[in-house]
Amino acid sequence: MELDRPGRVLATLSVLPALAVAGWLLAGLPLLLLGRFAPLPATLLGLPLAALLCWAGTRKLGESHAPDETPSGGAVRGGGAQVMVARTAGSVLGRVRAATWQVAGVVGVAVASGVFNAIMHSEQIAVRRDPATYTQYAAWIATHGGLPIPTQTEAFGGPDPALVFESVGFYAVDGGVVPQFMPGPPMLFAIGHWLGVPYLVPAVLGALAVLTVAGVVARLAGVRWAVVGAAAFAVSLPILYTSRTTFSEIPSLILLFGGLALAYDALARRERGRALLAGLVFGLAVLVRVDGLRDVLPVLAFAGLLLAMRRLRRPEGTVGPPLLAGLVAGAGVGMLAAYLLARPYLSYLSGSVRPLLFVCAGVLVLIAAGTAAAPALARFRLPSWVPRTGAVLVVLLMAALYARPWVQTVTRIPVTDDDRRTAEMIMQIQRANGLPIDGTRLYFENSLHWVVWYVGAPAVLLATIAAALLVRRLLRDGSSFGWLLPLAVVGWTTVTTLLRPEITPDHPWGRPPPGPRRDPGHDPARHVRPGQAAPPHGPARAEGAEVGDGGGRGARPRAPGGDLDRDGVHAGLSGGRRRRSRRCARGSRRTPRC
């Protein structure tokens, strides 16, 4: 039996974006490292590789593959893991059976999302926050093909003690400047510069993200919910914001949810090749965002679980080794890019990245130990009260996060120069808004309240109930095994982010009470609060100069190397003069959530 044609179309469309993005990034990174990231070589390498991954990831996707629902010899009877075999086998075939109107509805929502966000797109160039840094990063590599950005001090009249080539979002290195972030998103945004539409790529990526999320919904909850899920996702305020300008969240989301769809298909069909692709797509999330290393930790643990099941001769275990291999390869590419192209940024985040690496190493050790002890662990049966307790703990966790502002005040004593600049900036924001002056406040305790404001209390409540029910079913008999990896990835990233948002609280969601403008037509730049710091600045600054409009009164516009792109935008950053205090320079950089 095969999938009906609409179901096959939906299943295919939902994994193509992640595979295409992965292929483009894998082809573009070597070119960027060689300083040859240009339209012709990138097209000649990127398009064939993206097409190859798309073909491998969708090949025979709609064909029936009905493996035996009984584990081969050596399986332990009576466990919850055994029940999930029958539930998982062929579940893709049962779930992604769609009517034509349902597929058309999903595609229509994606197209409408892309068109709407393209019309409402935001052009952020002056560097104050992430989008402008990504814009300048993409503009530079699109026109120059590599890093670092040379300083060319002669363009500024020669060297001077007051001339320093660094700023928020950019680091000074020997003879040049390097951007703060990972190279994945700029390699995607560069396509827009080559095509003459530099600010429309985020809207296209947002539309592709809608398709990807709809595919995951169809696989897990049934295709009847795909249109609803796509629409709810598309109109969510954070998705609207990040689909209108050059953020890294949408490319990261495409890879993570695309990896979930591919992993689900690989498990249902028990295909090693598709599992390898799923792991690779997951791992490449690190090339897009450095905190992707945290996001894919549940995938690492899940691969370890599959390895243990393989030891027990469970058929699902066959996809464990390739999933782990692809994950390690993709994450390794991302960390290599961080070391070679964003080493100062990696060093700045070392306090967070090193513990993550140690956690990853610890998980690998646990995987080895769990795999060795799998036969003994399989004989262990959970007490009957554990499933119910797990569900209650999920609800209690969310309740505790919501009550956190009433029992905790998160602070950080400034230790480094960056911390002190951040504290000074926070005090400026507090003073401008009539809040108590305390530069040590981080406001992290309000994180769940920010989420409630953005997506609504009903969404948070329904998500909490769904997570509790899934935890109960997974602990009871494993009957929702297909949900395990999505629940682990979404739950882990949600809880860890709520506990430590790691964002400088100068955003509208970073102060109590959250009260930005509610008109979704406003772009993210409009939500920067008044009086939060000096105007945008570039990597060149003159010490002791007065701050003025446009980056410095009487200051010459500066860019690293002094070059302008064809649109008149500084290929590096627009320069500016600022006070010696450098009020919002590197102090406003975000730590892992950047």
Side-chain angles (χ1 to χ4, degrees):
M1 183 182 72
E2 296 187 357
L3 278 177
D4 56 281
R5 180 168 295 181
R8 187 185 310 169
V9 169
L10 180 58
T12 300
L13 285 177
S14 58
V15 296
L16 285 179
L19 294 167
V21 167
W24 180 262
L25 294 180
L26 286 174
L29 181 61
L31 296 174
L32 186 61
L33 291 173
L34 294 173
R36 295 291 186 269
F37 188 71
L40 182 59
T43 302
L44 292 178
L45 288 179
L47 289 185
L49 185 54
L52 178 61
L53 292 186
C54 289
W55 172 82
T58 59
R59 179 172 172 265
K60 297 182 178 179
L61 187 59
E63 296 182 8
S64 177
H65 184 78
D68 295 336
E69 295 188 0
T70 303
S72 52
V76 178
R77 297 184 176 275
Q82 184 154 344
V83 177
M84 61 83 185
V85 176
R87 304 294 183 95
T88 305
S91 56
V92 169
L93 302 179
R95 291 288 190 184
V96 191
R97 297 188 64 85
T100 301
W101 70 267
Q102 292 170 323
V103 179
V106 169
V107 174
V109 171
V111 172
S113 169
V115 172
F116 181 74
N117 289 320
I119 294 173
M120 304 298 295
H121 74 273
S122 169
E123 301 179 2
Q124 301 194 38
I125 302 171
V127 175
R128 174 61 186 87
R129 271 302 183 181
D130 303 3
T133 303
Y134 280 119
T135 295
Q136 301 285 8
Y137 194 159
W140 179 266
I141 64 173
T143 53
H144 296 79
L147 293 171
I149 304 168
T151 57
Q152 295 185 21
T153 55
E154 62 275 10
F156 305 99
D160 188 279
L163 189 63
V164 178
F165 289 90
E166 65 175 348
S167 81
V168 53
F170 285 77
Y171 293 90
V173 295
D174 294 337
V177 176
V178 295
Q180 171 176 335
F181 298 124
M182 299 295 285
M187 286 193 289
L188 296 170
F189 300 143
I191 299 173
H193 288 270
W194 293 335
L195 297 177
V197 286
Y199 305 106
L200 296 187
V201 172
V204 174
L205 291 173
L208 297 178
V210 172
L211 287 177
T212 305
V213 171
V216 175
V217 172
R219 285 167 169 82
L220 294 174
V223 74
R224 64 185 177 278
W225 293 103
V227 178
V228 177
F233 174 81
V235 301
S236 177
L237 203 55
I239 302 304
L240 287 171
Y241 285 167
T242 53
S243 297
R244 294 179 185 178
T245 191
T246 46
F247 280 102
S248 61
E249 280 80 357
I250 295 299
S252 175
L253 187 148
I254 289 174
L255 291 173
L256 288 175
F257 276 79
L260 290 175
L262 287 166
Y264 191 92
D265 294 345
L267 274 172
R269 299 173 55 82
R270 297 165 195 170
E271 288 185 342
R272 294 180 178 86
R274 209 178 302 274
L276 179 66
L277 286 176
L280 180 64
V281 167
F282 274 125
L284 288 175
V286 181
L287 183 58
V288 172
R289 291 173 61 88
V290 71
D291 65 349
L293 191 63
R294 177 207 62 189
D295 297 340
V296 298
L297 265 176
V299 185
L300 183 62
F302 184 74
L305 173 63
L306 294 178
L307 288 176
M309 294 173 68
R310 182 171 178 262
R311 178 93 190 277
L312 297 173
R313 302 183 182 275
R314 307 300 288 269
E316 299 89 337
T318 59
V319 303
L323 179 65
L324 179 61
L327 178 65
V328 172
V333 168
M335 293 307 296
L336 177 64
Y339 182 77
L340 296 177
L341 297 174
R343 196 176 309 175
Y345 180 49
L346 197 62
S347 177
Y348 177 77
L349 298 179
S350 59
S352 298
V353 174
R354 283 199 186 101
L356 271 177
L357 292 175
F358 283 125
V359 170
C360 291
V363 172
L364 288 174
V365 172
L366 289 176
I367 288 174
T371 302
L377 293 175
R379 291 191 291 268
F380 178 73
R381 294 293 175 268
L382 294 175
S384 59
W385 53 265
V386 169
R388 187 166 47 253
T389 303
V392 171
L393 288 177
V394 170
V395 177
L396 290 178
L397 174 62
M398 296 301 291
L401 288 170
Y402 193 82
R404 197 176 170 200
W406 304 320
V407 297
Q408 182 186 27
T409 299
V410 180
T411 60
R412 178 180 62 195
I413 304 300
V415 177
T416 66
D417 290 339
D418 290 334
D419 291 344
R420 283 185 281 272
R421 283 189 288 269
T422 300
E424 183 180 351
M425 181 186 63
I426 291 172
M427 288 188 289
Q428 292 168 356
I429 302 169
Q430 292 167 334
R431 192 175 297 113
N433 289 275
L435 298 173
I437 306 301
D438 182 0
T440 66
R441 286 290 305 274
L442 294 178
Y443 299 98
F444 289 179
E445 66 273 11
N446 294 302
S447 56
L448 186 54
H449 291 254
W450 306 337
V451 174
V452 169
W453 186 90
Y454 265 105
V455 303
V460 174
L461 183 60
L462 289 174
T464 302
I465 294 172
L469 292 176
L470 285 171
V471 167
R472 180 174 176 271
R473 290 167 63 179
L474 285 165
L475 292 175
R476 184 182 59 195
D477 57 11
S479 58
S480 297
F481 186 76
W483 280 88
L484 177 57
L485 182 57
L487 179 64
V489 171
V490 174
W492 167 259
T493 55
T494 298
V495 172
T496 53
T497 302
L498 289 174
L499 286 173
R500 295 192 61 179
E502 295 296 350
I503 185 170
T504 304
D506 61 339
H507 291 65
W509 53 84
R511 58 122 181 148
R517 300 178 182 91
R518 293 180 182 243
D519 179 6
H522 289 291
D523 59 65
R526 303 244 183 158
H527 292 263
V528 177
R529 294 191 45 82
Q532 58 193 26
H537 300 284
R541 63 176 177 84
E543 296 283 7
E546 291 296 321
V547 175
D549 293 336
R553 184 170 297 138
R556 292 176 295 170
R558 295 170 172 81
D563 294 335
L564 297 177
D565 67 13
R566 62 186 179 192
D567 297 321
V569 178
H570 284 293
L573 288 178
S574 56
R577 305 186 182 202
R578 82 181 80 183
R579 299 181 188 274
R580 180 174 291 274
S581 64
R582 296 173 63 194
R583 291 187 291 184
C584 67
R586 287 166 58 186
S588 64
R589 287 191 177 112
R590 291 192 261 166
T591 52
R593 296 261 329 144
C594 301

PDB file of all heavy atoms in Angstrom, residues 139-168:
ATOM      1  N   ALA A 139      25.767  40.977   3.989  1.00  0.00           N
ATOM      2  CA  ALA A 139      26.170  41.906   2.929  1.00  0.00           C
ATOM      3  C   ALA A 139      27.659  41.781   2.633  1.00  0.00           C
ATOM      4  O   ALA A 139      28.080  41.813   1.472  1.00  0.00           O
ATOM      5  CB  ALA A 139      25.818  43.337   3.335  1.00  0.00           C
ATOM      6  N   TRP A 140      28.457  41.610   3.681  1.00  0.00           N
ATOM      7  CA  TRP A 140      29.899  41.516   3.469  1.00  0.00           C
ATOM      8  C   TRP A 140      30.284  40.228   2.742  1.00  0.00           C
ATOM      9  O   TRP A 140      31.014  40.266   1.743  1.00  0.00           O
ATOM     10  CB  TRP A 140      30.644  41.612   4.797  1.00  0.00           C
ATOM     11  CG  TRP A 140      32.131  41.483   4.605  1.00  0.00           C
ATOM     12  CD1 TRP A 140      32.872  40.346   4.705  1.00  0.00           C
ATOM     13  CD2 TRP A 140      33.021  42.512   4.200  1.00  0.00           C
ATOM     14  NE1 TRP A 140      34.184  40.600   4.400  1.00  0.00           N
ATOM     15  CE2 TRP A 140      34.304  41.930   4.081  1.00  0.00           C
ATOM     16  CE3 TRP A 140      32.872  43.870   3.933  1.00  0.00           C
ATOM     17  CZ2 TRP A 140      35.418  42.665   3.712  1.00  0.00           C
ATOM     18  CZ3 TRP A 140      33.987  44.607   3.571  1.00  0.00           C
ATOM     19  CH2 TRP A 140      35.240  44.003   3.465  1.00  0.00           C
ATOM     20  N   ILE A 141      29.816  39.086   3.237  1.00  0.00           N
ATOM     21  CA  ILE A 141      30.240  37.841   2.589  1.00  0.00           C
ATOM     22  C   ILE A 141      29.624  37.700   1.204  1.00  0.00           C
ATOM     23  O   ILE A 141      30.193  37.038   0.325  1.00  0.00           O
ATOM     24  CB  ILE A 141      29.907  36.613   3.462  1.00  0.00           C
ATOM     25  CG1 ILE A 141      28.391  36.444   3.655  1.00  0.00           C
ATOM     26  CG2 ILE A 141      30.617  36.700   4.803  1.00  0.00           C
ATOM     27  CD1 ILE A 141      28.016  35.164   4.365  1.00  0.00           C
ATOM     28  N   ALA A 142      28.475  38.330   0.970  1.00  0.00           N
ATOM     29  CA  ALA A 142      27.867  38.262  -0.359  1.00  0.00           C
ATOM     30  C   ALA A 142      28.690  39.010  -1.385  1.00  0.00           C
ATOM     31  O   ALA A 142      28.709  38.640  -2.568  1.00  0.00           O
ATOM     32  CB  ALA A 142      26.448  38.825  -0.326  1.00  0.00           C
ATOM     33  N   THR A 143      29.374  40.058  -0.961  1.00  0.00           N
ATOM     34  CA  THR A 143      30.142  40.881  -1.907  1.00  0.00           C
ATOM     35  C   THR A 143      31.636  40.629  -1.833  1.00  0.00           C
ATOM     36  O   THR A 143      32.364  40.990  -2.768  1.00  0.00           O
ATOM     37  CB  THR A 143      29.868  42.372  -1.642  1.00  0.00           C
ATOM     38  OG1 THR A 143      30.099  42.666  -0.258  1.00  0.00           O
ATOM     39  CG2 THR A 143      28.422  42.717  -1.976  1.00  0.00           C
ATOM     40  N   HIS A 144      32.122  40.038  -0.755  1.00  0.00           N
ATOM     41  CA  HIS A 144      33.565  39.821  -0.601  1.00  0.00           C
ATOM     42  C   HIS A 144      33.938  38.355  -0.421  1.00  0.00           C
ATOM     43  O   HIS A 144      35.113  38.012  -0.536  1.00  0.00           O
ATOM     44  CB  HIS A 144      34.101  40.641   0.574  1.00  0.00           C
ATOM     45  CG  HIS A 144      33.978  42.120   0.384  1.00  0.00           C
ATOM     46  ND1 HIS A 144      32.789  42.790   0.585  1.00  0.00           N
ATOM     47  CD2 HIS A 144      34.866  43.052  -0.019  1.00  0.00           C
ATOM     48  CE1 HIS A 144      32.959  44.082   0.335  1.00  0.00           C
ATOM     49  NE2 HIS A 144      34.215  44.263  -0.038  1.00  0.00           N
ATOM     50  N   GLY A 145      33.013  37.505  -0.075  1.00  0.00           N
ATOM     51  CA  GLY A 145      33.232  36.064  -0.111  1.00  0.00           C
ATOM     52  C   GLY A 145      33.932  35.438   1.055  1.00  0.00           C
ATOM     53  O   GLY A 145      34.138  34.220   1.059  1.00  0.00           O
ATOM     54  N   GLY A 146      34.329  36.201   2.059  1.00  0.00           N
ATOM     55  CA  GLY A 146      35.040  35.584   3.168  1.00  0.00           C
ATOM     56  C   GLY A 146      35.222  36.535   4.325  1.00  0.00           C
ATOM     57  O   GLY A 146      34.803  37.696   4.290  1.00  0.00           O
ATOM     58  N   LEU A 147      35.875  36.047   5.353  1.00  0.00           N
ATOM     59  CA  LEU A 147      36.181  36.797   6.564  1.00  0.00           C
ATOM     60  C   LEU A 147      37.672  36.650   6.850  1.00  0.00           C
ATOM     61  O   LEU A 147      38.314  35.722   6.348  1.00  0.00           O
ATOM     62  CB  LEU A 147      35.360  36.259   7.741  1.00  0.00           C
ATOM     63  CG  LEU A 147      33.844  36.466   7.684  1.00  0.00           C
ATOM     64  CD1 LEU A 147      33.170  35.689   8.809  1.00  0.00           C
ATOM     65  CD2 LEU A 147      33.481  37.939   7.764  1.00  0.00           C
ATOM     66  N   PRO A 148      38.263  37.548   7.661  1.00  0.00           N
ATOM     67  CA  PRO A 148      37.648  38.676   8.368  1.00  0.00           C
ATOM     68  C   PRO A 148      37.467  39.891   7.465  1.00  0.00           C
ATOM     69  O   PRO A 148      37.920  39.893   6.315  1.00  0.00           O
ATOM     70  CB  PRO A 148      38.650  38.959   9.484  1.00  0.00           C
ATOM     71  CG  PRO A 148      39.964  38.592   8.889  1.00  0.00           C
ATOM     72  CD  PRO A 148      39.690  37.388   8.011  1.00  0.00           C
ATOM     73  N   ILE A 149      36.820  40.913   8.017  1.00  0.00           N
ATOM     74  CA  ILE A 149      36.664  42.184   7.322  1.00  0.00           C
ATOM     75  C   ILE A 149      37.919  43.010   7.590  1.00  0.00           C
ATOM     76  O   ILE A 149      38.226  43.305   8.742  1.00  0.00           O
ATOM     77  CB  ILE A 149      35.425  42.935   7.838  1.00  0.00           C
ATOM     78  CG1 ILE A 149      34.178  42.069   7.704  1.00  0.00           C
ATOM     79  CG2 ILE A 149      35.238  44.256   7.126  1.00  0.00           C
ATOM     80  CD1 ILE A 149      32.969  42.604   8.450  1.00  0.00           C
ATOM     81  N   PRO A 150      38.680  43.376   6.573  1.00  0.00           N
ATOM     82  CA  PRO A 150      39.901  44.146   6.821  1.00  0.00           C
ATOM     83  C   PRO A 150      39.577  45.544   7.344  1.00  0.00           C
ATOM     84  O   PRO A 150      38.578  46.144   6.956  1.00  0.00           O
ATOM     85  CB  PRO A 150      40.567  44.200   5.447  1.00  0.00           C
ATOM     86  CG  PRO A 150      39.462  44.024   4.475  1.00  0.00           C
ATOM     87  CD  PRO A 150      38.463  43.115   5.145  1.00  0.00           C
ATOM     88  N   THR A 151      40.420  46.056   8.208  1.00  0.00           N
ATOM     89  CA  THR A 151      40.171  47.381   8.778  1.00  0.00           C
ATOM     90  C   THR A 151      40.481  48.502   7.799  1.00  0.00           C
ATOM     91  O   THR A 151      39.753  49.482   7.719  1.00  0.00           O
ATOM     92  CB  THR A 151      41.012  47.570  10.044  1.00  0.00           C
ATOM     93  OG1 THR A 151      42.390  47.371   9.726  1.00  0.00           O
ATOM     94  CG2 THR A 151      40.581  46.587  11.129  1.00  0.00           C
ATOM     95  N   GLN A 152      41.573  48.387   7.059  1.00  0.00           N
ATOM     96  CA  GLN A 152      41.988  49.424   6.104  1.00  0.00           C
ATOM     97  C   GLN A 152      41.996  50.797   6.784  1.00  0.00           C
ATOM     98  O   GLN A 152      41.235  51.698   6.427  1.00  0.00           O
ATOM     99  CB  GLN A 152      41.068  49.430   4.880  1.00  0.00           C
ATOM    100  CG  GLN A 152      41.136  48.163   4.053  1.00  0.00           C
ATOM    101  CD  GLN A 152      40.317  48.241   2.780  1.00  0.00           C
ATOM    102  OE1 GLN A 152      40.000  49.325   2.305  1.00  0.00           O
ATOM    103  NE2 GLN A 152      39.986  47.097   2.217  1.00  0.00           N
ATOM    104  N   THR A 153      42.864  50.940   7.739  1.00  0.00           N
ATOM    105  CA  THR A 153      42.913  52.192   8.495  1.00  0.00           C
ATOM    106  C   THR A 153      43.184  53.404   7.617  1.00  0.00           C
ATOM    107  O   THR A 153      42.827  54.525   7.971  1.00  0.00           O
ATOM    108  CB  THR A 153      43.996  52.102   9.577  1.00  0.00           C
ATOM    109  OG1 THR A 153      45.240  51.747   8.964  1.00  0.00           O
ATOM    110  CG2 THR A 153      43.629  51.056  10.615  1.00  0.00           C
ATOM    111  N   GLU A 154      43.783  53.197   6.456  1.00  0.00           N
ATOM    112  CA  GLU A 154      44.047  54.333   5.570  1.00  0.00           C
ATOM    113  C   GLU A 154      42.759  55.005   5.111  1.00  0.00           C
ATOM    114  O   GLU A 154      42.755  56.191   4.763  1.00  0.00           O
ATOM    115  CB  GLU A 154      44.863  53.891   4.350  1.00  0.00           C
ATOM    116  CG  GLU A 154      44.189  52.868   3.446  1.00  0.00           C
ATOM    117  CD  GLU A 154      44.390  51.443   3.896  1.00  0.00           C
ATOM    118  OE1 GLU A 154      44.899  51.251   5.024  1.00  0.00           O
ATOM    119  OE2 GLU A 154      44.050  50.531   3.127  1.00  0.00           O
ATOM    120  N   ALA A 155      41.652  54.249   5.107  1.00  0.00           N
ATOM    121  CA  ALA A 155      40.377  54.850   4.718  1.00  0.00           C
ATOM    122  C   ALA A 155      39.906  55.877   5.738  1.00  0.00           C
ATOM    123  O   ALA A 155      39.026  56.688   5.434  1.00  0.00           O
ATOM    124  CB  ALA A 155      39.315  53.761   4.561  1.00  0.00           C
ATOM    125  N   PHE A 156      40.497  55.851   6.931  1.00  0.00           N
ATOM    126  CA  PHE A 156      40.113  56.788   7.982  1.00  0.00           C
ATOM    127  C   PHE A 156      41.220  57.785   8.281  1.00  0.00           C
ATOM    128  O   PHE A 156      41.238  58.403   9.329  1.00  0.00           O
ATOM    129  CB  PHE A 156      39.755  56.022   9.257  1.00  0.00           C
ATOM    130  CG  PHE A 156      38.707  54.986   9.046  1.00  0.00           C
ATOM    131  CD1 PHE A 156      39.050  53.648   8.886  1.00  0.00           C
ATOM    132  CD2 PHE A 156      37.370  55.337   8.963  1.00  0.00           C
ATOM    133  CE1 PHE A 156      38.080  52.687   8.675  1.00  0.00           C
ATOM    134  CE2 PHE A 156      36.394  54.384   8.754  1.00  0.00           C
ATOM    135  CZ  PHE A 156      36.749  53.061   8.598  1.00  0.00           C
ATOM    136  N   GLY A 157      42.144  57.932   7.351  1.00  0.00           N
ATOM    137  CA  GLY A 157      43.218  58.895   7.531  1.00  0.00           C
ATOM    138  C   GLY A 157      44.418  58.352   8.265  1.00  0.00           C
ATOM    139  O   GLY A 157      45.259  59.125   8.720  1.00  0.00           O
ATOM    140  N   GLY A 158      44.514  57.038   8.393  1.00  0.00           N
ATOM    141  CA  GLY A 158      45.645  56.431   9.046  1.00  0.00           C
ATOM    142  C   GLY A 158      45.359  56.062  10.483  1.00  0.00           C
ATOM    143  O   GLY A 158      44.320  56.421  11.040  1.00  0.00           O
ATOM    144  N   PRO A 159      46.282  55.341  11.108  1.00  0.00           N
ATOM    145  CA  PRO A 159      46.058  54.884  12.491  1.00  0.00           C
ATOM    146  C   PRO A 159      46.027  56.050  13.463  1.00  0.00           C
ATOM    147  O   PRO A 159      46.686  57.075  13.263  1.00  0.00           O
ATOM    148  CB  PRO A 159      47.245  53.952  12.748  1.00  0.00           C
ATOM    149  CG  PRO A 159      48.299  54.401  11.787  1.00  0.00           C
ATOM    150  CD  PRO A 159      47.571  54.900  10.574  1.00  0.00           C
ATOM    151  N   ASP A 160      45.236  55.871  14.503  1.00  0.00           N
ATOM    152  CA  ASP A 160      45.116  56.892  15.536  1.00  0.00           C
ATOM    153  C   ASP A 160      44.739  56.193  16.829  1.00  0.00           C
ATOM    154  O   ASP A 160      43.943  55.250  16.809  1.00  0.00           O
ATOM    155  CB  ASP A 160      44.049  57.918  15.150  1.00  0.00           C
ATOM    156  CG  ASP A 160      44.045  59.103  16.110  1.00  0.00           C
ATOM    157  OD1 ASP A 160      43.444  58.965  17.205  1.00  0.00           O
ATOM    158  OD2 ASP A 160      44.647  60.133  15.783  1.00  0.00           O
ATOM    159  N   PRO A 161      45.294  56.621  17.951  1.00  0.00           N
ATOM    160  CA  PRO A 161      44.938  55.957  19.213  1.00  0.00           C
ATOM    161  C   PRO A 161      43.447  55.982  19.525  1.00  0.00           C
ATOM    162  O   PRO A 161      42.954  55.124  20.253  1.00  0.00           O
ATOM    163  CB  PRO A 161      45.729  56.749  20.261  1.00  0.00           C
ATOM    164  CG  PRO A 161      46.859  57.374  19.507  1.00  0.00           C
ATOM    165  CD  PRO A 161      46.337  57.654  18.138  1.00  0.00           C
ATOM    166  N   ALA A 162      42.744  56.979  18.986  1.00  0.00           N
ATOM    167  CA  ALA A 162      41.311  57.088  19.271  1.00  0.00           C
ATOM    168  C   ALA A 162      40.456  56.253  18.334  1.00  0.00           C
ATOM    169  O   ALA A 162      39.234  56.201  18.496  1.00  0.00           O
ATOM    170  CB  ALA A 162      40.880  58.546  19.180  1.00  0.00           C
ATOM    171  N   LEU A 163      41.064  55.605  17.344  1.00  0.00           N
ATOM    172  CA  LEU A 163      40.310  54.835  16.350  1.00  0.00           C
ATOM    173  C   LEU A 163      40.395  53.358  16.688  1.00  0.00           C
ATOM    174  O   LEU A 163      41.472  52.755  16.665  1.00  0.00           O
ATOM    175  CB  LEU A 163      40.874  55.091  14.957  1.00  0.00           C
ATOM    176  CG  LEU A 163      40.083  54.554  13.773  1.00  0.00           C
ATOM    177  CD1 LEU A 163      38.714  55.197  13.692  1.00  0.00           C
ATOM    178  CD2 LEU A 163      40.847  54.779  12.474  1.00  0.00           C
ATOM    179  N   VAL A 164      39.262  52.762  17.036  1.00  0.00           N
ATOM    180  CA  VAL A 164      39.215  51.357  17.444  1.00  0.00           C
ATOM    181  C   VAL A 164      38.187  50.642  16.580  1.00  0.00           C
ATOM    182  O   VAL A 164      37.060  51.092  16.449  1.00  0.00           O
ATOM    183  CB  VAL A 164      38.837  51.216  18.935  1.00  0.00           C
ATOM    184  CG1 VAL A 164      38.743  49.740  19.327  1.00  0.00           C
ATOM    185  CG2 VAL A 164      39.848  51.946  19.804  1.00  0.00           C
ATOM    186  N   PHE A 165      38.561  49.530  16.003  1.00  0.00           N
ATOM    187  CA  PHE A 165      37.688  48.809  15.076  1.00  0.00           C
ATOM    188  C   PHE A 165      36.974  47.653  15.780  1.00  0.00           C
ATOM    189  O   PHE A 165      37.289  46.492  15.590  1.00  0.00           O
ATOM    190  CB  PHE A 165      38.484  48.285  13.882  1.00  0.00           C
ATOM    191  CG  PHE A 165      38.937  49.367  12.951  1.00  0.00           C
ATOM    192  CD1 PHE A 165      40.156  49.992  13.133  1.00  0.00           C
ATOM    193  CD2 PHE A 165      38.126  49.780  11.913  1.00  0.00           C
ATOM    194  CE1 PHE A 165      40.561  50.988  12.281  1.00  0.00           C
ATOM    195  CE2 PHE A 165      38.523  50.786  11.059  1.00  0.00           C
ATOM    196  CZ  PHE A 165      39.742  51.394  11.244  1.00  0.00           C
ATOM    197  N   GLU A 166      36.002  47.995  16.590  1.00  0.00           N
ATOM    198  CA  GLU A 166      35.139  46.990  17.187  1.00  0.00           C
ATOM    199  C   GLU A 166      33.888  47.706  17.686  1.00  0.00           C
ATOM    200  O   GLU A 166      33.886  48.926  17.860  1.00  0.00           O
ATOM    201  CB  GLU A 166      35.813  46.254  18.345  1.00  0.00           C
ATOM    202  CG  GLU A 166      36.118  47.133  19.535  1.00  0.00           C
ATOM    203  CD  GLU A 166      36.667  46.327  20.701  1.00  0.00           C
ATOM    204  OE1 GLU A 166      36.600  45.089  20.656  1.00  0.00           O
ATOM    205  OE2 GLU A 166      37.133  46.944  21.654  1.00  0.00           O
ATOM    206  N   SER A 167      32.843  46.951  17.871  1.00  0.00           N
ATOM    207  CA  SER A 167      31.603  47.539  18.364  1.00  0.00           C
ATOM    208  C   SER A 167      30.681  46.417  18.796  1.00  0.00           C
ATOM    209  O   SER A 167      31.030  45.232  18.719  1.00  0.00           O
ATOM    210  CB  SER A 167      30.922  48.378  17.281  1.00  0.00           C
ATOM    211  OG  SER A 167      30.192  47.553  16.402  1.00  0.00           O
ATOM    212  N   VAL A 168      29.469  46.784  19.202  1.00  0.00           N
ATOM    213  CA  VAL A 168      28.473  45.779  19.496  1.00  0.00           C
ATOM    214  C   VAL A 168      28.257  44.935  18.244  1.00  0.00           C
ATOM    215  O   VAL A 168      28.072  45.438  17.146  1.00  0.00           O
ATOM    216  CB  VAL A 168      27.156  46.435  19.944  1.00  0.00           C
ATOM    217  CG1 VAL A 168      26.664  47.459  18.962  1.00  0.00           C
ATOM    218  CG2 VAL A 168      26.085  45.382  20.173  1.00  0.00           C
TER     219      VAL A 168
END
